[in-house]
Amino acid sequence: MRAILMKKKLVVTFVFTFFLSLTIFGTVFADSINYTGIESASRTDSYNYGPTVMIDGATTKMWWCAHNPNHHSAWDGDSIWYSSKTTDGGTWSTAQMVMEVSASGWDSLDICDPSVVKGAFAYNGHTYAYAMYYSAADAAVGPSNTQIGVAFSDNGTTWVKYAANPIITYAYFVTGGYGVGMQTAYNSNLSGSNITLAYFDATGSSAQPSFVVTSTDGINFNIGGRQTLPAPVAGVSIGDIAYSPTEGIWY
């Protein structure tokens, strides 16, 4: 979330240069990529950060967090934006806002930190091709006590929020505390929804605040059986996860 600076933000306007993970038909590879040609998502005093990138067939797709131009406060209105290009070249499409805050409730102040995976996600009588895990805050509470929710899509641009969100909440309420968020997802079954989700929990353990949970439907996670995820670098709360099937190793 924007108001609580728990992690370093990647601020980008016309050039994206950062380490990220590419999802190619469900397999994630770490890479360093220079993205050019994407204009600032909203206003000149705005920001863009927290990208999730997927190589989906012949198309490279990217979702990220940026300010909602319909909001005017510097501390509210984070929203999810999208752009795409052909994988073998071409230019990025005009950035478009694809998800914004709700009128009220747990995600009415900010939504950000998208992590998108492809698969088959059954919800409300329909099977969707994409799931987005995102963190959000409640306008009634303020820019703190973040929680995690999920939304589903057929095309990656029109999203349906899960009605019973949030799916992961903080262990206990802390006034001014971050809560849970900065999640990253991996789906091991493109014809299903075997999700591994790593996330940061400021109300968990001060020594090891990152955790891993799993789900077989993309919605219900084994929170009670969550495993601690050691921080690879001091001061870093969470990072993207990837799995190498040939090595049997998580990265």
Side-chain angles (χ1 to χ4, degrees), residues 79-129:
S79 55
I80 308 300
W81 292 70
Y82 172 82
S83 181
S84 65
K85 64 183 284 294
T86 56
T87 300
D88 59 355
T91 59
W92 288 95
S93 63
T94 301
Q96 60 177 307
M97 185 168 59
V98 295
M99 193 190 325
E100 57 183 317
V101 297
S102 298
S104 62
W106 80 282
D107 64 347
S108 55
L109 180 67
D110 293 290
I111 58 171
C112 67
D113 300 329
S115 183
V116 179
V117 290
K118 192 172 184 180
F121 305 93
Y123 171 59
N124 204 22
H126 183 79
T127 299
Y128 293 92

Side-chain angles (χ1 to χ4, degrees), residues 30 239-244 247 249-251:
D240 281 333
I241 57 174
Y243 181 72
S244 170
E247 299 175 290
I249 297 175
W250 285 93
Y251 291 91

Side-chain angles (χ1 to χ4, degrees), residues 8-204:
K8 294 181 180 178
K9 294 185 172 63
L10 302 170
V11 180
V12 285
T13 302
F14 295 101
V15 179
F16 285 73
T17 305
F18 44 74
F19 284 94
L20 43 78
S21 51
L22 297 179
T23 304
I24 307 177
F25 295 113
T27 304
V28 181
F29 300 91
D31 201 356
S32 176
I33 294 181
N34 180 29
Y35 285 99
T36 60
I38 301 182
E39 296 184 357
S40 179
S42 50
R43 308 182 313 194
T44 56
D45 63 340
S46 186
Y47 50 87
N48 301 276
Y49 76 100
T52 179
V53 179
M54 177 186 297
I55 294 179
D56 191 1
T59 305
T60 299
K61 303 176 179 180
M62 178 162 60
W63 299 261
W64 71 95
C65 179
H67 190 75
N68 184 337
N70 299 321
H71 292 251
H72 303 292
S73 168
W75 297 104
D76 72 351
D78 278 0
S79 55
I80 308 300
W81 292 70
Y82 172 82
S83 181
S84 65
K85 64 183 284 294
T86 56
T87 300
D88 59 355
T91 59
W92 288 95
S93 63
T94 301
Q96 60 177 307
M97 185 168 59
V98 295
M99 193 190 325
E100 57 183 317
V101 297
S102 298
S104 62
W106 80 282
D107 64 347
S108 55
L109 180 67
D110 293 290
I111 58 171
C112 67
D113 300 329
S115 183
V116 179
V117 290
K118 192 172 184 180
F121 305 93
Y123 171 59
N124 204 22
H126 183 79
T127 299
Y128 293 92
Y130 302 89
M132 176 193 294
Y133 297 89
Y134 64 99
S135 51
D138 191 334
V141 176
S144 61
N145 289 281
T146 304
Q147 301 175 87
I148 299 171
V150 64
F152 303 103
S153 176
D154 287 324
N155 55 16
T157 57
T158 301
W159 293 90
V160 177
K161 296 178 180 178
Y162 177 54
N165 277 330
I167 57 173
I168 299 178
T169 187
Y170 38 78
Y172 50 87
F173 186 92
V174 178
T175 301
Y178 175 78
V180 300
M182 304 183 204
Q183 65 291 327
T184 175
Y186 175 84
N187 186 12
S188 62
N189 181 11
L190 277 181
S191 61
S193 51
N194 294 334
I195 304 298
T196 298
L197 189 76
Y199 65 98
F200 175 82
D201 184 353
T203 64

